[in-house]
Amino acid sequence: MPNVPAASALPRRDQIRKEAARLFAARGFLGVGVDEIGKAVGISGPGLYRHFSGKDAMLADLLVGISERLLEEGRRRAGEAEGVGGPSGALDALIGGHVDFALDDRDLIILHDRELLHLKEEDRRRVRRLQRGYVELWVGVVRGAFPALAAPGAEPLARAAVHAVFGLLNSTPHSAAPHSAQSDRSGLPRDAMAALLHSLAQGAFAAAAESAASGAVVAPGAAAAPGPAAEEGAA
């Protein structure tokens, strides 16, 4: 059933974004027509063309837009938090922001996983460029929060840990209760899931730092970190 009443408070362009993301995630980009998106927001299919030039433009707007938002929000959150809580505070803020994204924008995660190939090459390159910037932001913050990961040769381990945490957080469309603060058979309540994901992410980075500090994982060509000072990886 269309979510017109819930979406009606949004500007029309945002209504279209919301419903296009929902329908693309549920049915696939190729399985949804312009008329169906129009019906979901209470306008004719051709009326959508006053806001978007077509389905391709909607998909690009969604995927480029979320990549831009993650990078901008990440920079803002990390910058503000670091001034108060130092590097550990910045990492906490980054994790919290991405947890919110994973729990509240599941349709966009599904879209990215399944529909990125349908973007025009120029838009796909733009998304990849923004994503690289987001990864570099996290790598820098993680290495600041865990001194063992800032050691020479530990950067690949920090980068691998960041990608692993993204994989963990972005798996929530398949494990969390959909669009509800209450638990059901599909997962934990939102607050409980958010706390769990935050703890797991922090634990993953702490484990990577412990590996770097002990020399258990060493980048090719890098010297092993001296001594077993695993405590250096504590935030």
Side-chain angles (χ1 to χ4, degrees):
M1 188 166 63
N3 294 333
V4 176
S8 60
L10 295 172
R12 181 67 78 186
R13 188 176 173 90
D14 288 338
Q15 290 179 42
I16 295 169
R17 286 189 181 108
K18 178 183 175 73
E19 293 305 316
R22 180 180 66 83
L23 289 167
F24 291 159
R27 302 259 303 280
F29 176 73
L30 298 179
V32 177
V34 170
D35 288 342
E36 188 174 359
I37 298 170
K39 182 179 179 181
V41 296
I43 61 177
S44 65
L48 291 178
Y49 293 110
R50 291 196 296 270
H51 304 278
F52 294 96
S53 62
K55 277 203 319 176
D56 289 347
M58 292 179 206
L59 185 64
D61 179 88
L62 289 167
L63 293 182
V64 173
I66 191 56
S67 297
E68 289 176 336
R69 193 182 95 200
L70 282 172
L71 180 56
E72 291 169 5
E73 277 288 296
R75 286 171 173 165
R76 182 188 64 78
R77 284 173 178 262
E80 291 177 356
E82 186 164 16
V84 177
S88 296
L91 180 57
D92 250 356
L94 276 184
I95 294 172
H98 201 98
V99 166
D100 286 343
F101 162 65
L103 293 177
D104 299 334
D105 290 290
R106 297 172 204 168
D107 289 343
L108 292 175
I109 293 175
I110 293 170
L111 274 189
H112 181 274
D113 287 347
R114 292 199 319 216
E115 310 294 349
L116 189 64
L117 75 162
H118 292 300
L119 285 183
K120 295 178 180 177
E121 181 61 28
E122 179 182 356
D123 291 324
R124 193 158 54 243
R125 284 199 302 267
R126 187 176 177 193
V127 168
R128 294 301 192 196
R129 188 164 56 248
L130 290 164
Q131 290 175 334
R132 285 194 297 271
Y134 189 56
V135 170
E136 293 308 315
L137 171 66
W138 275 72
V139 170
V141 170
V142 167
R143 298 187 81 193
F146 291 93
L149 292 173
E155 187 268 345
L157 180 55
R159 186 176 304 278
V162 167
H163 282 291
V165 166
F166 286 170
L168 165 71
L169 300 183
N170 291 346
S171 71
T172 55
H174 312 291
S175 59
H179 309 297
S180 174
Q182 305 300 317
S183 63
D184 62 17
R185 289 182 301 173
S186 64
L188 296 171
R190 187 197 185 285
D191 288 349
M193 178 63 80
L196 175 62
L197 291 172
H198 203 110
S199 295
L200 290 172
Q202 283 283 12
F205 291 130
E210 183 175 356
S211 293
S214 66
V217 178
V218 182
E231 66 273 13
E232 289 182 7

